[in-house]
Amino acid sequence: MSLLPQSNGTGPAIELDGVFKLFGNSPAVDGLSLSVEHGSTFGLIGPNGAGKSTTIKMLMGLLAPTSGSVRVLGHDAGTEATQIRQKVGYVPELHLMDRWMRVKEVVGFCRSAFSTWNDDTCREMLDRYELPDDKKVKQLSKGMLVKLSLVLAISHEPEMLILDEPMSGLDPLAREEFLDGVLQTVCDKGQTVLLSTHSLGDIQRMADTVGFLYGGRLLAHSNIDDLLASTKRVRATLTNGSPPENLPTGVVWQQVEGREWLLTVADFTPETVQKIGDLQGVENVDVIDIGLEDLFKDFVKGQRSNS
Amino acid sequence: MKWLLWREYRLNRLILIAGGAFFVLPYAIVGFTVLTGSYQMTYVTRAWLASTYAAQLLIALLAGNAIAGERADRSAEFIAYLPLSRRRIVASKVLFALLVFTPVWCVTRVVIDNAYLPAPGYVSGSPAHVLSDLRPFLANVVLLYGAGWLFTSRLSSATAASVLGLVVVILLHVGYVFVLIPQKNFFEEFIRLLNDQERFGDAVFWYTMICISLAVISFSIGTWNYVGHRRS
Amino acid sequence: MKLDPGSHIPFYLQIADGIRDAVAAGVYLPGEPLPSLRALALEIHTNPNTVQKAYDELAREGLIYSRRGKGLFVAEQGDESARASAQESLQRSFLEGIIAARAAGMSSREIRKAFTAALNITPAKRTGDSPEKGNRR
């Protein structure tokens, strides 16, 4: 009883290939390549300024990459942006609607822009979220605004949802309601989802695959379960208090405190323990499992100490 | 398109109300003088002249606000993420301006044809007749919109864009008149021009051509800026 | 079941554990259907693909099986195998605890005392005998 991904034979749902985006001389996106399969939920995570918003703007065709190719649902984001926007349900971080419009006017306006609008879905969702037709956007609370954005995104039956940090600043109940709304439509329709967020809890709940963006580059991109299984923290004792020179590959981050040496290793295999134990001045190698949050923190710390 | 036009109306409502008020005001004053019995023929002239200036200001404001206005309050982003091509958006704004200008033109035309031209003392070939040529008015309006459009596509201030559009037209208008009429004995030369129907007709014709050409060029550049440019 | 995003255990295994516990505790009896993908996904607020993975894992273990067009059901020996898994897991916890206690220098007698004390604190279930993990729903 599995959900069938909507593969239409034209390649991955999202495909970025060697994408660079420079603002002046600084790269917001620095050689990004990634692909997202139909029907999967991709979590894009990274600190502020990592390039998440820029990437999403390129996916929606609002920004042109400086170089590289961006393809969404088989369309090139440069030349076929309008087709992409027809098929993608986009939920922004801050609502974009004109503040003076009433809910029914926003709905009417958006309805006229999309060729595949479903009035029943829209009505049903507006009722479910108790969004009043006559209230102006500026009178709605944050939680209601994000729900309205979701209604607008889903009512035109998109093949893909792109959620750009939509839950920032929401109270826990509103977040849950929003995510449940997304889950419901994914359960029913099986859309591909790209979720850009700060929250690792949301990523774990919602995403199959996760991509970690830092400094415009993808540091990690894999299935969450694989990532958890293949990234471990290793604890060892250093006999002379200083770590060895040549570290095995895959060391993301390390820390020395007294004689205790902690390192986080990606692509972990049983041989890794062996290799570390074989290094000069290293004893008592111990392996610890870590959760997603610690994993990402270590990635960031590792990047910061390298740069 | 209906919704886009409605949105244009809501976004420009203040401009329409203010501009509309200033357009109607001179006629209202004339109407008032008719009621109080102090009506004079010259009032009509001043009224429709004043109204045409109000109309030109209105068009300048609409053009200046067209793109820069949205950029200022972030509502441009709302449209940007929807599957609306920028060409369609441009078309809706131009169509909106046309819809606004149509009643303006009709009213002005009706006033001139029914209150101004049939008035006693009017003679074909007289300065009064020459003055009623609405081609300069149209030319100004077209250039105001075209130039304003160019500025609105590049600037983030609607006011600046409108003002610059007005400046362009004023400079052209004044410059043209000064080129046309020699400095010495300016006013005599000006009266002589108004009495020379053929020469005046030519001057107006070329003025109109220049305005329309400049308008087309500015509008094209402005549209290319907006449609072809994917900044943010 | 409560999913812990801080844990290093992948969600799908946490879900599988939760279902296994439920079967062991008799919430789902052998031959009974399990909640549909959609229902469970929405109930625990998680991606249906993850629930699918959990179900696949349990099917692989033999705890559940699928009937064409009718959904997923608890296998006949399901409750027993679930209890066996629970027992294995308990054994592991005991072992970890004892190793830690020994490392801290506790004697066998001290360990046994601690165990008895803990057993007396926690109330026994209706079928008092076998140690059960309790309902983690």
Side-chain angles (χ1 to χ4, degrees):
Chain A
M1 209 183 109
S2 61
L3 289 166
L4 290 168
Q6 292 165 339
S7 176
N8 54 5
T10 53
I14 296 177
E15 196 171 16
L16 292 156
D17 193 10
V19 175
F20 286 84
K21 179 65 186 172
L22 294 147
F23 288 116
N25 279 328
S26 65
V29 176
D30 201 5
L32 180 62
S33 295
L34 83 88
S35 69
V36 178
E37 291 304 318
H38 289 275
S40 73
T41 301
F42 180 79
L44 187 63
I45 196 157
N48 288 326
K52 302 196 296 291
S53 287
T54 310
T55 305
I56 290 181
K57 283 201 175 123
M58 287 195 281
L59 289 175
M60 295 291 289
L62 268 84
L63 277 181
T66 311
S67 65
S69 88
V70 180
R71 297 190 71 82
V72 178
L73 296 170
H75 297 287
D76 174 66
T79 50
E80 300 170 283
T82 321
Q83 283 105 304
I84 293 177
R85 290 184 218 138
Q86 277 283 352
K87 297 183 184 177
V88 172
Y90 174 76
V91 181
E93 179 173 0
L94 293 166
H95 76 93
L96 297 173
M97 315 154 234
D98 290 319
R99 292 171 56 77
W100 46 266
M101 278 198 197
R102 294 176 201 274
V103 170
K104 65 182 176 201
E105 290 165 349
V106 175
V107 169
F109 187 82
C110 290
R111 188 163 171 264
S112 71
F114 290 103
S115 50
T116 54
W117 193 267
N118 185 326
D119 282 322
D120 296 325
T121 310
C122 181
R123 186 76 258 157
E124 191 253 309
M125 285 187 79
L126 286 173
D127 291 340
R128 191 191 335 149
Y129 290 136
E130 294 175 348
L131 291 166
D133 278 346
D134 287 316
K135 269 239 170 99
K136 291 196 178 173
V137 166
K138 63 186 169 198
Q139 296 169 300
L140 295 176
S141 70
K142 217 163 192 248
M144 296 178 99
L145 282 171
V146 83
K147 284 178 201 163
L148 179 58
S149 298
L150 186 62
V151 174
L152 296 174
I154 291 180
S155 296
H156 69 274
E157 322 237 277
E159 289 175 35
M160 180 187 296
L161 292 173
I162 293 184
L163 313 173
D164 191 357
E165 294 192 53
M167 292 162 292
S168 58
L170 288 184
D171 64 82
L173 184 62
R175 297 172 107 252
E176 180 136 296
E177 285 176 317
F178 177 81
L179 284 178
D180 281 351
V182 175
L183 272 176
Q184 244 184 333
T185 184
V186 170
C187 280
D188 294 335
K189 304 273 166 64
Q191 296 105 333
T192 315
V193 178
L194 184 140
L195 170 65
S196 166
T197 178
H198 280 144
S199 160
L200 284 154
D202 294 340
I203 291 272
Q204 280 216 281
R205 253 168 62 157
M206 306 287 298
D208 309 307
T209 330
V210 66
F212 186 44
L213 209 58
Y214 187 85
R217 279 196 222 108
L218 208 57
L219 291 185
H221 174 199
S222 92
N223 187 281
I224 293 183
D225 302 328
D226 293 344
L227 196 60
L228 285 170
S230 69
T231 312
K232 306 270 182 205
R233 191 173 281 172
V234 174
R235 183 172 49 200
T237 315
L238 295 168
T239 45
N240 50 0
S242 56
E245 296 283 306
N246 41 348
L247 298 168
T249 50
V251 174
V252 168
W253 168 81
Q254 61 166 326
Q255 175 186 285
V256 178
E257 219 171 289
R259 285 216 193 81
E260 192 192 49
W261 189 36
L262 281 174
L263 11 72
T264 304
V265 186
D267 304 322
F268 184 87
T269 59
E271 284 82 48
T272 315
V273 182
Q274 184 81 8
K275 279 195 210 133
I276 293 177
D278 285 345
L279 289 169
Q280 270 273 359
V282 176
E283 298 180 337
N284 299 333
V285 181
D286 191 17
V287 179
I288 312 169
D289 288 316
I290 50 172
L292 213 53
E293 190 173 334
D294 288 327
L295 196 152
F296 283 136
K297 280 190 197 162
D298 290 353
F299 265 98
V300 178
K301 284 193 263 189
Q303 282 295 306
R304 289 216 187 113
S305 61
N306 283 345
S307 54
Chain B
M1 190 51 90
K2 191 182 78 167
W3 278 97
L4 280 171
L5 289 174
W6 167 82
R7 187 169 176 267
E8 285 304 311
Y9 156 68
R10 290 300 304 267
L11 287 174
N12 292 297
R13 204 163 53 172
L14 272 172
I15 292 174
L16 287 179
I17 291 173
F22 279 115
F23 178 75
V24 167
L25 187 64
Y27 296 124
I29 294 175
V30 168
F32 180 72
T33 62
V34 167
L35 287 172
T36 59
S38 55
Y39 170 81
Q40 281 180 46
M41 178 51 215
T42 51
Y43 290 171
V44 175
T45 319
R46 291 178 199 158
W48 71 255
L49 277 175
S51 285
T52 55
Y53 284 127
Q56 288 170 69
L57 182 63
L58 172 63
I59 295 297
L61 288 173
L62 283 181
N65 194 40
I67 294 166
E70 280 185 351
R71 198 174 292 142
D73 62 9
R74 282 191 75 231
S75 62
E77 280 201 53
F78 177 39
I79 301 293
Y81 282 99
L82 291 174
L84 295 164
S85 73
R86 287 201 163 177
R87 270 191 221 129
R88 203 150 144 224
I89 293 168
V90 166
S92 74
K93 291 184 189 281
V94 171
L95 182 57
F96 178 71
L98 282 170
L99 286 173
V100 167
F101 186 69
T102 305
V104 164
W105 172 256
C106 291
V107 166
T108 309
R109 197 68 255 175
V110 161
V111 165
I112 289 186
D113 289 342
N114 295 304
Y116 180 71
L117 289 176
Y122 158 89
V123 150
S124 175
S126 74
H129 179 207
V130 149
L131 208 58
S132 75
D133 187 340
L134 286 180
R135 282 181 296 170
F137 170 53
L138 272 180
N140 280 349
V141 161
V142 168
L143 181 55
L144 274 172
Y145 197 80
W149 187 261
L150 169 61
F151 295 120
T152 199
S153 71
R154 303 230 64 155
L155 302 171
S156 45
S157 158
T159 321
S162 302
V163 166
L164 282 172
L166 283 165
V167 162
V168 163
V169 169
I170 290 171
L171 282 178
L172 180 68
H173 206 130
V174 169
Y176 191 81
V177 169
F178 273 98
V179 161
L180 203 61
I181 299 173
Q183 298 301 346
K184 248 168 38 124
N185 307 318
F186 181 81
F187 283 111
E188 287 170 27
E189 290 294 323
F190 186 62
I191 302 293
R192 200 177 304 161
L193 177 65
L194 286 183
N195 280 306
D196 183 348
Q197 193 176 3
E198 199 186 311
R199 217 177 120 218
F200 188 82
D202 280 347
V204 165
F205 174 77
W206 286 112
Y207 180 73
T208 312
M209 287 298 112
I210 294 172
C211 281
I212 291 178
S213 314
L214 284 175
V216 166
I217 293 169
S218 320
F219 185 80
S220 306
I221 299 174
T223 303
W224 182 84
N225 271 340
Y226 181 61
V227 171
H229 229 243
R230 277 181 300 145
R231 315 170 245 178
S232 180
Chain C
M1 68 191 92
K2 198 80 179 80
L3 295 173
D4 179 11
S7 159
H8 60 270
I9 304 173
F11 264 26
Y12 83 99
L13 288 177
Q14 291 186 39
I15 295 172
D17 287 343
I19 295 174
R20 209 180 293 116
D21 290 347
V23 171
V27 173
Y28 302 116
L29 297 171
E32 273 187 357
L34 286 165
S36 69
L37 256 192
R38 187 183 188 279
L40 188 57
L42 290 173
E43 192 182 325
I44 59 177
H45 310 290
T46 190
N47 186 334
N49 289 338
T50 313
V51 178
Q52 177 66 63
K53 258 181 129 169
Y55 278 177
D56 288 343
E57 175 72 16
L58 292 171
R60 220 173 38 80
E61 283 174 24
L63 184 70
I64 64 179
Y65 66 96
S66 94
R67 275 230 297 269
R68 238 176 184 285
K70 298 216 168 140
L72 292 156
F73 294 82
V74 181
E76 284 312 309
Q77 259 45 325
D79 58 341
E80 287 178 20
S81 98
R83 263 198 286 275
S85 301
Q87 213 155 340
E88 248 182 68
S89 165
L90 177 69
Q91 212 84 334
R92 271 198 304 272
S93 302
F94 278 168
L95 203 57
E96 279 172 29
I98 290 172
I99 291 175
R102 289 255 190 254
M106 282 172 74
S107 69
S108 290
R109 218 176 104 241
E110 283 171 318
I111 294 173
R112 217 171 279 130
K113 213 164 119 186
F115 171 75
T116 318
L119 198 58
N120 288 335
I121 295 173
T122 54
K125 286 298 191 170
R126 40 188 168 83
T127 57
D129 301 5
S130 42
E132 284 171 280
K133 278 230 150 168
N135 215 339
R136 262 210 259 122
R137 241 182 172 258

